[in-house]
Amino acid sequence: MALVMHKDSPTNSNYKQMDNSKYVRYTPEQVEALERVYSECPKPSSLRRQQLIRECPILSNIEPKQIKVWFQNRRCREKQRKEASRLQTVNRKLSALNKLLMEENDRLQKQVSHLVYENGFMRNQLHTASGTTTDNSCESVVMSGQNQQQQNPTPQQPQRDANNPAGLLAIAEETLAEFLSKATGTAVDWVQMIGMKPGPDSIGIVAVSRNCSGVAARACGLVSLEPTKVAEILKDRTSWFRDCRCVDVLSVIPTGNGGTIELVYMQTYAPTTLAAARDFWTLRYTTSLEDNSLVICERSLTTSTGGPAGPPSSCFVRADVLPSGYLIRPCEGGGSIIHIVDHVDLDAWSVPEVLRPLYESSKILAQKMTIAALRHIRQIAQEASGEIQYGGGRQPAVLRTFSQRLCRGFNDAVNGFADDGWSLLGSDGVEDVTIVVNSSSNKFLGSQYNASMFPTFGGVLCAKASMLLQNVPPALLVQFLREHRSEWADYGVDAYSASCLKPSPYAIPCARPGGFPSSQVILPLAHTVENEEFLEVVRLEGQAFSPEEVALARDMYLLQLCSGVDESAVGSCAQLVFAPIDESFADEAPLLPSGFRVIPLDPKAVSKMVQLNAIILNWKEFFVGLVYSSILYVQDTPGATRTLDLASTLEVGSGSARPASEADASYNLRSVLTIAFQFTFENHTRDNVAAMARQYVRSVVGSVQRVAMAIAPSQLGSQIGPKSLPQSPEALTLAQWISRSYRMHTGGELFQMDSPSGDAILKRLWNHSDAIMCCSVKTNASPVFTFANQAGLDMLETTLVALQDIMLDKILDEGGRKNLCSEFSKIMQQGFAYLPAGICVSSMGRPVSYEQAVAWKVLNDEDSNHCLAFMFMNWSFV
């Protein structure tokens, strides 16, 4: 029942206000009924509240106004409870982070003390040496070094019995001690990575090694998962380390202290087509410390450490894991503090000189392994807590599986391992594109598909190549390739790739350089916590080249994975991988990934490499010894001076060689691009598909080179040279129309001309300092750019081909769109209008400011409206 009383009652604290003078107390039954409705609809409408009173007799004596107040209070309490929970979580994170930073500070103080001691010791040694002897001969120095080595001999590791568990335990305990000295001590000189600042929402504290053997990276961070769950995830390396091909645990030995020793064989993928993949034979030791911390440490077993010999491998180069691992400490209030150390020697001397920076960079190791592990754990933790919600009804684990399958399929294509069924196909005489085939039906169809569904399936063919890019940031290139697919893709080839999902594929197309443009719509599916990787579906709108090809005029779908587009990430690999899918998009749908991978090179290492004359000999030996190598694409065009292939960089001593200072300046931004495209073929069409694939990859390589010239940073424009001037009759005519219409409407000259010829007008228009561009004017359609001069292309950061994908309203900000709408009628009646200063956005998302803009109608020879022209004056990137 409801008890109503006056406000002055001494017990009014137990009642809810109904109006200015009355209070009401709810019975448990009434509260239960209201809570039931709240769980279904936290904010019911007035009609729903009235319906609630009618349906629940126990609420009949409560006024609708009071029901509304109850729901308001309930929502407020819910909000306060969530906020309190969030603040408690943040407080726990900050407390743990404070503890972590204090430990890091203690470690740095120890490192400083150690360096001060070493500095004093060296000063004392130098002072003593200079005071006691003046013999500076080489013989004296050598003998001194020999005497010191005899006084302090290097301890020799005893040979352990491979069949003795005690010997393996000794190796494990040594590995544990060395790992802990790196994770929490000063065994390695760590330098914090740029941009990795600690905070409650940051990935953690990340550092890389300096002046140590091999390459090493270290990270520590907080996650809201228990230590045992974290250990389980980290051991499953194939789930988060994208370069990991397989991990086989060949032996498990329990130890007396409750831990385990595992003998592990791991294979990894090569990042490019130009070097062999790596494998590792390691001992992995899992144990607990006295403070209940969980440790997983690992090191390679070699002849110097002792232990059993690893499996032989012919297609891999054996690399070493120096003492590395994970220290997982329980955190008060739940969660874990993780310390990760990755320390490897990838045998960089076995790869060509130009690629060694990929194997000698601690920053690349940090991005690929150390940071990737932390990000994966944080992703799973937030998914488990419900902080991340994905639409489309897909479970996060299913979406992660799609991402892993895309990466794995692309890595398989790039590496082409013989034990997967890949074999090399003969070339056409030009070794610029490598073709490999795989006739195994499981390569594409998988075990869940019946081969009878595809009776003519002959196998999978992969065309791949690698090239060296100069002055093009990897993130910027991949972002451009993703957003401007029509710049490099061919619709007919896309249609053929999509047909592999059907029992009767289409006819083999001829690759059309430049391609028939098709519009794309990107539909996001999922993204990681820090947006460094996102999964999406791309819908390609159907086109028909001719009446005979109407069957091609259907929408196609691609499952696409894009990663590494954050330009501030140091050493990050940028990648765009996609595979055709059908409309059903089943969880077990077959995927045949293709795509691009761009890996940055260390500029300091590269600038030193190109000065070595012996590199030519190393390069020739590499091409003779490596079966699946791809000689890089060479294009005899002006673009070849900027988008260089590997072979051309090795022409040491040629007459066209540039001075060393100029070479060093131009090698600041260099990266290796790997391209791989996969196609299915029928039993009788293999050679035709190979010819099409080879031609298509060559076309894509040429397109990427043109894209590289278009998106190079503007400050490098003086090195790039001008973009090519269009010479078509249509361009000459359009230039005359633009100039004549401007003079007709404004009464002024767009530029002063000595000669009225069409060529001269086009040249002056093309080289005009202000950005001039034209856009279409169509009813019920957004204006699309059709032409721009060189300054206009630079402002929009695009090319003439990709320009047709850019709409006017997409580059203008809100103020610019309002100004244009208000002046549009004036433009159509008067013929022109001046627009005030404003901000617009380039195709790559960079803001551009301009002092003034002019818009005018462009009339053709019949004085009919042809298009709208815009001139942005004194523009600059903000």
Side-chain angles (χ1 to χ4, degrees):
M1 61 176 294
L3 178 62
V4 179
M5 62 187 309
H6 290 287
K7 185 177 180 179
D8 297 332
S9 172
T11 59
N12 62 354
S13 59
N14 297 326
Y15 300 90
K16 301 296 180 181
Q17 184 177 1
M18 185 172 67
D19 54 32
N20 292 333
S21 59
K22 295 181 180 180
Y23 290 80
V24 62
R25 183 174 63 181
Y26 297 96
T27 65
E29 292 79 8
Q30 291 173 332
V31 173
E32 181 180 356
L34 291 171
E35 287 286 355
R36 213 167 33 242
V37 176
Y38 180 84
S39 63
E40 299 174 357
C41 179
K43 192 174 183 180
S45 63
S46 175
L47 294 177
R48 180 69 180 92
R49 293 194 300 269
Q50 294 176 5
Q51 180 185 2
L52 174 63
I53 295 175
R54 291 195 301 269
E55 293 177 352
C56 299
I58 59 176
L59 299 175
S60 59
N61 60 340
I62 308 296
E63 295 184 7
K65 180 180 178 181
Q66 183 59 25
I67 297 291
K68 178 181 178 180
V69 172
W70 185 93
F71 277 97
Q72 290 175 344
N73 293 337
R74 181 66 176 82
R75 290 194 299 270
C76 183
R77 290 196 303 273
E78 181 73 17
K79 183 178 180 181
Q80 290 175 345
R81 183 163 56 247
K82 289 182 179 179
E83 181 65 13
S85 176
R86 187 189 69 83
L87 291 176
Q88 290 175 357
T89 302
V90 172
N91 183 61
R92 286 196 300 268
K93 286 184 178 181
L94 290 175
S95 299
L97 184 62
N98 181 61
K99 179 180 178 181
L100 197 61
L101 291 175
M102 292 177 62
E103 294 174 353
E104 182 70 6
N105 185 56
D106 292 341
R107 188 192 67 81
L108 291 175
Q109 288 181 349
K110 292 179 182 178
Q111 186 173 355
V112 169
S113 301
H114 181 69
L115 291 175
V116 170
Y117 171 79
E118 283 189 345
N119 185 51
F121 177 78
M122 292 299 296
R123 287 177 179 271
N124 184 51
Q125 289 290 99
L126 292 173
H127 178 73
T128 304
S130 62
T132 58
T133 180
T134 59
D135 184 5
N136 295 325
S137 65
C138 295
E139 182 178 358
S140 174
V141 174
V142 172
M143 292 302 296
S144 175
Q146 290 178 350
N147 292 335
Q148 184 176 1
Q149 289 180 2
Q150 291 174 2
Q151 295 173 3
N152 301 290
T154 302
Q156 297 293 326
Q157 293 284 355
Q159 184 70 22
R160 275 92 171 190
D161 184 359
N163 299 317
N164 187 357
L168 293 178
L169 181 59
I171 299 175
E173 293 294 342
E174 291 177 4
T175 304
L176 173 62
E178 292 187 46
F179 159 67
L180 292 176
S181 68
K182 297 176 184 179
T184 60
T186 60
V188 174
D189 185 8
W190 299 111
V191 179
Q192 185 169 335
M193 282 187 68
I194 298 175
M196 294 295 176
K197 297 181 179 180
D201 297 323
S202 70
I203 187 67
I205 305 172
V206 184
V208 293
S209 62
R210 180 175 61 184
N211 300 329
C212 75
S213 60
V215 291
R218 171 182 174 271
C220 46
L222 312 172
V223 293
S224 56
L225 291 176
E226 296 304 314
T228 54
K229 180 62 176 178
V230 173
E232 177 186 344
I233 295 172
L234 290 173
K235 280 191 172 184
D236 185 14
R237 192 166 284 164
T238 55
S239 67
W240 56 266
F241 182 29
R242 293 295 170 80
D243 284 354
C244 181
R245 187 191 184 207
C246 64
V247 177
D248 295 327
V249 179
L250 302 184
S251 179
V252 180
I253 303 171
T255 61
N257 57 6
T260 58
I261 294 175
E262 300 167 293
L263 301 183
V264 181
Y265 176 64
M266 180 176 72
Q267 293 178 349
T268 61
Y269 293 105
T272 73
T273 63
L274 302 171
R278 266 53 183 164
D279 66 348
F280 302 86
W281 171 241
T282 63
L283 177 147
R284 186 167 67 189
Y285 181 37
T286 304
T287 187
S288 297
L289 303 182
E290 294 180 356
D291 60 353
N292 294 324
S293 297
L294 192 59
V295 178
I296 306 170
C297 55
E298 191 171 12
R299 80 177 307 162
S300 286
L301 294 177
T302 62
T303 55
S304 61
T305 62
S313 59
S314 58
C315 300
F316 294 84
V317 173
R318 183 61 52 87
D320 291 334
V321 175
L322 305 177
S324 306
Y326 316 104
L327 171 61
I328 311 167
R329 300 157 55 190
C331 189
E332 295 182 5
S336 305
I337 300 177
I338 309 175
H339 295 258
I340 301 178
V341 173
D342 292 310
H343 194 175
V344 296
D345 183 351
L346 298 175
D347 192 12
W349 290 101
S350 65
V351 302
E353 194 86 31
V354 74
L355 293 180
R356 287 183 190 171
L358 301 182
Y359 297 82
E360 295 176 337
S361 173
S362 296
K363 297 173 184 176
I364 292 179
L365 176 71
Q367 291 287 354
K368 282 191 172 184
M369 290 190 67
T370 317
I371 299 177
L374 267 183
R375 282 174 172 163
H376 183 73
I377 295 173
R378 289 187 67 202
Q379 183 78 18
I380 292 181
Q382 295 197 14
E383 290 173 358
S385 64
E387 296 180 44
I388 300 178
Q389 298 291 336
Y390 296 133
R394 301 279 182 176
Q395 294 296 323
V398 174
L399 296 174
R400 280 200 309 273
T401 301
F402 277 125
S403 300
Q404 293 165 5
R405 290 176 60 195
L406 284 173
C407 282
R408 187 175 185 84
F410 184 70
N411 279 324
D412 283 336
V414 170
N415 286 260
F417 292 116
D419 57 2
D420 278 342
W422 292 101
S423 60
L424 187 65
L425 194 64
S427 69
D428 61 351
V430 182
E431 298 289 348
D432 59 341
V433 177
T434 299
I435 302 290
V436 291
V437 295
N438 193 328
S439 299
S440 171
S441 59
N442 289 333
K443 172 66 182 94
F444 171 66
L445 300 179
S447 58
Q448 72 274 15
Y449 286 87
N450 190 345
S452 61
M453 298 171 58
F454 300 84
T456 60
F457 177 80
V460 174
L461 179 145
C462 176
K464 52 188 177 179
S466 293
M467 57 192 294
L468 190 68
L469 297 177
Q470 180 179 332
N471 293 333
V472 180
L476 197 61
L477 176 60
V478 167
Q479 185 177 350
F480 189 95
L481 294 174
R482 169 180 173 263
E483 296 177 357
H484 302 278
R485 186 179 180 86
S486 61
E487 177 74 7
W488 55 267
D490 183 276
Y491 182 83
V493 176
D494 286 337
Y496 176 80
S497 298
S499 70
C500 68
L501 303 173
K502 299 174 175 58
S504 56
Y506 299 127
I508 300 169
C510 295
R512 297 168 173 83
F516 189 93
S518 61
S519 59
Q520 66 173 8
V521 178
I522 298 178
L523 309 172
L525 275 181
H527 59 82
T528 50
V529 175
E530 297 182 345
N531 291 314
E532 76 280 354
E533 179 179 282
F534 38 90
L535 186 70
E536 55 201 11
V537 172
V538 180
R539 178 169 62 86
L540 303 177
E541 295 183 355
Q543 303 286 346
F545 301 107
S546 65
E548 292 77 15
E549 296 179 334
V550 175
L552 293 178
R554 63 184 70 184
D555 289 349
M556 296 177 296
Y557 297 89
L558 301 174
L559 182 64
Q560 183 167 272
L561 180 70
C562 185
S563 59
V565 294
D566 181 7
E567 297 182 46
S568 62
V570 180
S572 178
C573 163
Q575 187 170 268
L576 182 69
V577 180
F578 46 87
I581 57 175
D582 58 15
E583 295 84 348
S584 63
F585 190 22
D587 292 348
E588 300 297 330
L591 298 178
L592 199 61
S594 303
F596 307 86
R597 174 182 292 151
V598 193
I599 308 176
L601 293 173
D602 187 347
K604 294 181 180 179
V606 176
S607 63
K608 294 179 180 178
M609 291 186 302
V610 296
Q611 300 175 10
L612 301 177
N613 294 337
I615 194 172
I616 297 180
L617 297 177
N618 294 339
W619 184 254
K620 290 180 179 178
E621 293 172 1
F622 167 71
F623 270 97
V624 172
L626 191 58
V627 176
Y628 297 126
S629 65
S630 299
I631 303 178
L632 303 181
Y633 185 83
V634 181
Q635 186 177 13
D636 189 16
T637 65
T641 62
R642 294 190 53 256
T643 309
L644 302 177
D645 61 272
L646 287 180
S648 66
T649 64
L650 309 179
E651 296 173 358
V652 181
S654 63
S656 60
R658 293 174 294 177
S661 59
E662 182 182 349
D664 290 342
S666 64
Y667 290 144
N668 290 333
L669 287 173
R670 305 185 81 190
S671 52
V672 175
L673 167 66
T674 299
I675 303 173
F677 284 86
Q678 297 191 80
F679 306 94
T680 59
F681 61 87
E682 297 180 350
N683 295 320
H684 61 284
T685 62
R686 189 188 71 174
D687 293 340
N688 292 336
V689 174
M692 179 273 294
R694 185 178 284 112
Q695 178 186 356
Y696 183 56
V697 169
R698 287 170 180 164
S699 171
V700 170
V701 168
S703 299
V704 169
Q705 289 185 323
R706 293 192 297 272
V707 168
M709 288 188 288
I711 67 174
S714 57
Q715 60 266 26
L716 301 174
S718 58
Q719 304 173 17
I720 296 172
K723 297 179 175 66
S724 58
L725 176 68
Q727 297 289 349
S728 65
E730 293 80 5
L732 298 175
T733 302
L734 180 61
Q736 293 174 342
W737 290 349
I738 293 173
S739 175
R740 181 171 59 87
S741 299
Y742 183 85
R743 180 173 61 253
M744 179 187 307
H745 296 312
T746 66
E749 293 290 343
L750 188 59
F751 36 73
Q752 297 297 326
M753 289 297 304
D754 298 331
S755 171
S757 66
D759 291 342
I761 294 176
L762 177 58
K763 187 174 182 180
R764 292 298 298 270
L765 176 67
W766 181 255
N767 295 320
H768 200 284
S769 60
D770 292 326
I772 301 175
M773 52 196 74
C774 299
C775 65
S776 61
V777 181
K778 297 181 180 179
T779 306
N780 299 328
S782 299
V784 177
F785 287 108
T786 57
F787 172 81
N789 66 348
Q790 182 172 334
L793 296 178
D794 290 340
M795 189 186 86
L796 295 179
E797 294 186 277
T798 186
T799 64
L800 282 173
V801 176
L803 181 69
Q804 301 174 11
D805 295 334
I806 303 174
M807 292 183 290
L808 175 62
D809 57 349
K810 296 299 183 182
I811 72 161
L812 297 176
D813 63 355
E814 185 176 358
R817 287 193 292 268
K818 289 181 179 179
N819 291 333
L820 180 60
C821 290
S822 62
E823 298 289 340
F824 187 77
S825 59
K826 181 179 178 181
I827 297 173
M828 300 308 295
Q829 295 175 7
Q830 182 176 311
F832 78 102
Y834 290 98
L835 304 177
I839 299 289
C840 62
V841 182
S842 74
S843 64
M844 304 310 297
R846 289 208 289 174
V848 182
S849 66
Y850 56 91
E851 293 183 2
Q852 190 182 42
V854 184
W856 70 95
K857 290 192 301 182
V858 176
L859 306 179
N860 58 19
D861 292 334
E862 288 78 26
D863 289 338
S864 300
N865 294 335
H866 177 72
C867 62
L868 279 181
F870 293 84
M871 181 166 61
F872 296 89
M873 303 177 186
N874 298 327
W875 65 271
S876 62
F877 289 106
V878 179

